[in-house]
Amino acid sequence: GNSVTQMEGPVTLSEEAFLTINCTYTATGYPSLFWYVQYPGEGLQLLLKATKADDKGSNKGFEATYRKETTSFHLEKGSVQVSDSAVYFCALRWPTGGGNKLTFGTGTQLKVEL
Amino acid sequence: KAGVTQTPRYLIKTRGQQVTLSCSPISGHRSVSWYQQTPGQGLQFLFEYFSETQRNKGNFPGRFSGRQFSNSRSEMNVSTLELGDSALYLCASNRGGLGTDTQYFGPGTRLTVL
């Protein structure tokens, strides 16, 4: 079946450091890929998405590129801020057959310190 | 435009009781999905409703059920509560199209079973 694997957290960085959170997926065909962020006490917010191979999603300084050859969708940001502290989830969705069901990774907690 | 709203935000029940959670989607959205979030199992898909019909279902026991009304509002019900049902229950809505349509999440209902 479809699955998403994320790097284990927590990840602790200093402000302005470079961030990478790894995400790989297992699926046949070409699912859509997403990164969601969850701040303490809140629901999930869509951060960015990509729907086909080589697409790059970007938002608020975060980027991720859909790599079909490595089945990966790693999240990156060049300079993190304290306000980026949150839990980040990688997810996939099939365009047909699965409705709008999202399959999530386990989440990676990011803590950014001054 | 108002976001996805969920009521109540917090709920405490005892084992054996039943509970009903409510979700109001964004205006114009016809699809509502439910997810369970726990520290051990992460985010797991419960079911999706579209135009008052269940379109997809996750691997949960029959104690978990849902429905959708003609105004797209949705409820989920859990009967004979168990301690393991303690979780954050998230609702998400989108316009209903399959594929790339963005899902918007509510803040969740935190259920504690004692």
Side-chain angles (χ1 to χ4, degrees):
Chain A
N2 303 330
S3 66
V4 176
T5 302
Q6 281 182 245
M7 62 186 287
E8 292 283 331
V11 173
T12 303
L13 296 173
S14 299
E15 202 171 41
E16 299 183 2
F18 184 85
L19 168 71
T20 299
I21 300 178
N22 291 336
C23 170
T24 57
Y25 67 90
T26 302
T28 53
Y30 306 100
S32 295
L33 301 173
F34 305 83
W35 277 101
Y36 280 86
V37 59
Q38 186 175 36
Y39 297 99
E42 297 183 14
L44 301 175
Q45 297 177 26
L46 177 66
L47 185 57
L48 52 84
K49 68 180 183 183
T51 59
K52 61 183 187 295
D54 300 325
D55 265 2
K56 177 185 280 188
S58 61
N59 185 29
K60 300 180 182 179
F62 291 90
E63 292 183 340
T65 301
Y66 189 158
R67 301 286 189 199
K68 170 177 165 290
E69 62 277 11
T70 55
T71 61
S72 66
F73 193 53
H74 304 322
L75 182 68
E76 297 181 336
K77 186 175 185 183
S79 176
V80 294
Q81 305 300 311
V82 171
S83 57
D84 294 326
S85 298
V87 181
Y88 293 80
F89 292 92
C90 185
L92 67 79
R93 185 179 71 200
W94 280 106
T96 59
N100 283 301
K101 172 186 174 181
L102 288 166
T103 298
F104 287 92
T106 52
T108 302
Q109 183 174 13
L110 170 65
K111 183 177 180 182
V112 181
E113 300 175 331
L114 289 170
Chain B
K1 194 183 259 190
V4 178
T5 58
Q6 293 187 244
T7 57
R9 290 293 309 277
Y10 301 91
L11 207 48
I12 299 175
K13 293 285 188 180
T14 57
R15 279 181 299 174
Q17 288 187 309
Q18 75 165 19
V19 67
T20 299
L21 313 181
S22 179
C23 172
S24 292
I26 291 171
S27 177
H29 285 193
R30 296 166 62 196
S31 166
V32 173
S33 299
W34 290 89
Y35 292 82
Q36 181 195 65
Q37 185 178 20
T38 60
Q41 300 298 316
L43 280 153
Q44 293 188 288
F45 173 79
L46 281 155
F47 26 65
E48 179 194 3
Y49 285 87
F50 176 72
S51 292
E52 302 179 64
T53 301
Q54 189 178 87
R55 182 154 72 176
N56 203 355
K57 188 178 187 306
N59 295 324
F60 278 81
R63 300 185 297 107
F64 292 81
S65 63
R67 60 177 175 169
Q68 186 180 35
F69 302 94
S70 58
N71 62 358
S72 295
R73 189 177 70 86
S74 176
E75 289 181 347
M76 69 162 280
N77 183 277
V78 188
S79 62
T80 319
L81 283 166
E82 300 176 0
L83 294 179
D85 297 332
S86 294
L88 181 66
Y89 289 88
L90 294 166
C91 162
S93 77
N94 70 1
R95 289 173 296 177
L98 299 174
T100 63
D101 198 20
T102 297
Q103 294 229 66
Y104 296 88
F105 281 80
T109 294
R110 172 75 62 184
L111 171 65
T112 301
V113 182
L114 302 176

